[in-house]
């Protein structure tokens, strides 16, 4: 039996330095041999957000160590690696370049193919590390930089049916956390605060809820929360505001997902109805429960990646790398990092004042 391909994946698009090795299998999903993720929370904590120069410097300091660790943990010798895949965009150019240059050097010294990966495609295919999913499927991608409904028709073949016209959902969580005085990165802690609060206490807006199809908008929520924070005095007030925010987001996603289901069926017909929810915010338990409910009600099978595969990681990058490796889709070593890299290249740019929905 010939040995199955092994892909080394690298992710440095923002504030996680990550390296992973995965191997294809005979009949099942690829095997994750190692998946090392090093976050930079401490580097950015005092600034309340990611500082690009500090992030890039931290990637430079760590990439060697993290790659070493991932290779050792996988038990794979260098000569067994079939290809190296690294995130090429979207993201911070100076951060992307670190992982990309490391990958190119590795590819060149080991004389193996180099493959540039769209970070968003990593999130989109991340559940394929756990189960086989036939195309097409509906995807809700909710991360720190993106919030989109997409029809995934196949590798590199996406049809965006909805997107945020302003803030991404992760950004809304992070900004709300900041207004509540929660230390960076605050997004994941909103849920913990919310559990102790009254979700009915504050009435928050649901922007564009009755128009714009399954497009999304979260900026108005931030403004409403900013106004309320002036009245916030006690911890209980903060818990109540977190709970009200969490509930509002759940309700927005419930309603918009119903529309996305309709749009998906209009385009894809009555094939198997599968709904994947991916990206950092997909780790949110309350959102999962609400999306499971709307999926049940509409006969969609909902699929979530493991929580450790929701946030940025390199196993998802290696996963896309493996799919591309199988069809010999390699890149040249002059491939450049790209800050903006949409999955659906034909989708209209829908951000900023004056957007027509
Ligand atoms: O996918 P990701 O790791 O990075 C990007 O590609 O952006 O997503 C990070 C985002 C952050 O905004 C973070 O606050 C949010 O995901 N996030 C959460 C939770 N865990 C991570 N938001 C809400 N609830 C969570 N449990
Ligand atoms: Zn991401």
């Amino acid at each position: 039996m010939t040995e199955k391909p092994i892909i080394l994946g690298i992710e440095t698009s923002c504030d996680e330095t990550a390296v992973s090795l995965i191997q294809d299998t005979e009949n099942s999903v690829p095997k994750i041999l190692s998946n090392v993720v090093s976050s930079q929370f401490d580097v950015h904590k005092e600034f309340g957000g990611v500082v690009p120069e500090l992030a890039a410097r931290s990637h430079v300091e760590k990439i060697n160590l993290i790659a070493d660790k991932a290779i050792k943990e996988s038990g794979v010798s260098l000569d067994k690696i079939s290809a190296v895949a690294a995130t090429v965009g979207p993201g911070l150019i100076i951060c992307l370049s670190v992982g990309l240059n490391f990958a190119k050097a590795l590819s060149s010294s080991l004389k193996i193919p180099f493959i540039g990966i769209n970070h968003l495609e990593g999130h989109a295919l991340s559940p394929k590390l756990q189960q086989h999913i036939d195309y097409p499927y509906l995807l809700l991608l909710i991360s720190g930089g993106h919030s989109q409904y997409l029809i995934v028709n196949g590798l590199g073949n996406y049809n965006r049916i909805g997107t945020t016209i302003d803030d991404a959902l992760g950004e809304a969580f992070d900004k709300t956390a900041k207004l509540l005085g929660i230390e960076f990165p605050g997004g994941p802690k909103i849920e913990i605060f919310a559990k102790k609060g009254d979700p009915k206490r504050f009435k928050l807006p649901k922007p564009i809820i009755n128009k714009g199809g399954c497009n999304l908008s979260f900026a108005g929520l931030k403004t409403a929360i900013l106004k309320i924070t002036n009245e916030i005095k006690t911890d209980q007030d903060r818990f109540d505001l977190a709970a009200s925010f969490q509930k509002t987001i759940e309700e927005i996603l419930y309603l918009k997902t119903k529309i996305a289901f309709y749009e998906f069926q209009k385009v894809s017909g009555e094939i198997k109805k599968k709904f994947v929810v991916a990206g950092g915010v997909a780790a949110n338990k309350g959102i999962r429960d609400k999306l499971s409910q709307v999926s049940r009600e509409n006969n969609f099978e909902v699929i979530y990646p493991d929580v450790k595969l929701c946030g940025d990681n390199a196993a998802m990058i290696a996963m896309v790398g493996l799919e591309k490796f199988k069809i010999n889709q390699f890149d040249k070593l002059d491939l450049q990092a790209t800050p903006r890299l949409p999955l659906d290249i034909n989708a209209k740019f829908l951000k900023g004042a004056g957007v027509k929905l």
Side-chain angles (χ1 to χ4, degrees), residues 271-323:
I271 41 103
K272 271 198 179 150
K273 299 191 283 187
K274 299 213 180 209
F275 176 41
V276 167
V277 188
V281 188
N284 187 291
K285 172 88 173 49
I287 291 178
R288 285 187 177 214
D289 289 347
K290 201 71 183 173
L291 293 175
S292 295
Q293 181 195 334
V294 72
S295 301
R296 250 190 333 269
E297 290 169 1
N298 291 276
N299 297 319
F300 268 75
E301 180 191 342
V302 65
I303 299 159
Y304 306 101
D306 257 9
V307 168
K308 65 174 187 309
L309 294 174
C310 284
D312 289 347
N313 65 85
M316 66 182 195
I317 302 303
M319 173 75 225
V320 184
L322 178 59
E323 299 250 312

Side-chain angles (χ1 to χ4, degrees), residues 148 150 153 156-161 163 340-350:
Q148 305 182 342
L150 295 135
N153 297 308
N157 185 347
Y158 296 84
N159 176 7
R160 195 193 73 195
I161 57 172
T163 185
R340 203 176 158 265
L341 197 57
L343 281 176
D344 178 356
I345 48 168
N346 297 315
K348 245 172 61 189
F349 189 69
L350 272 190

Side-chain angles (χ1 to χ4, degrees), residues 14-210:
C14 190
D15 58 343
E16 259 92 28
T17 318
V19 179
S20 166
L21 279 88
I22 68 165
Q23 183 167 30
D24 198 15
T25 58
E26 196 63 47
N27 299 313
S28 181
V29 293
K31 186 164 180 228
I32 301 178
L33 305 173
S34 64
N35 186 18
V36 183
V37 182
S38 170
S39 296
Q40 305 176 353
F41 298 149
D42 289 342
V43 176
H44 306 288
K45 205 160 61 185
E46 63 178 293
F47 305 100
V50 176
V51 183
E53 288 77 9
L54 296 182
R57 192 199 297 174
S58 177
H59 286 309
V60 171
E61 282 166 5
K62 283 196 282 192
I63 186 76
N64 243 315
L65 291 170
I66 302 298
D68 239 24
K69 189 162 187 268
I71 293 166
K72 279 204 185 90
E73 276 183 18
S74 73
V76 167
S77 58
L78 285 178
D79 61 326
K80 294 277 186 276
I81 300 174
S82 319
V84 51
T87 306
V88 64
L92 301 163
I93 284 254
I94 51 174
C95 293
L96 290 162
S97 303
V98 178
L100 215 50
N101 288 337
F102 190 88
K104 289 174 185 175
L106 204 58
S107 139
S108 162
S109 60
L110 296 177
K111 299 190 172 44
I112 53 174
F114 158 72
I115 310 167
I117 307 292
N118 184 325
H119 176 87
L120 304 176
E121 188 151 42
H123 281 303
L125 302 198
S126 57
K128 283 171 153 271
L129 285 159
Q130 292 159 284
Q131 69 180 90
H132 176 78
I133 313 172
D134 283 330
Y135 299 115
Y137 56 84
L138 176 67
L139 168 72
L140 170 60
L141 172 58
I142 34 179
S143 69
H146 297 84
S147 301
Q148 305 182 342
Y149 288 99
L150 295 135
I151 300 174
V152 185
N153 297 308
L155 185 69
N157 185 347
Y158 296 84
N159 176 7
R160 195 193 73 195
I161 57 172
T163 185
T164 176
I165 58 165
D166 40 56
D167 291 352
L169 186 51
E171 208 179 338
F173 267 92
D174 294 337
K175 285 178 178 168
T176 300
K178 209 168 174 179
L179 291 172
L180 288 172
I182 304 173
E183 197 174 59
F184 173 84
K189 293 190 197 113
I190 294 268
E191 249 199 310
I192 302 165
F193 269 48
K195 287 212 178 78
K196 300 184 225 166
D198 172 9
K200 298 202 188 81
R201 164 98 183 268
F202 298 104
K203 181 133 183 52
L204 297 170
K206 298 191 188 102
I208 67 164
I209 204 69
N210 293 317

Side-chain angles (χ1 to χ4, degrees), residues 216-228:
L216 299 156
S217 166
F218 301 109
L221 265 159
K222 178 185 59 193
T223 316
I225 286 170
L226 179 63
K227 280 194 191 136
I228 296 170

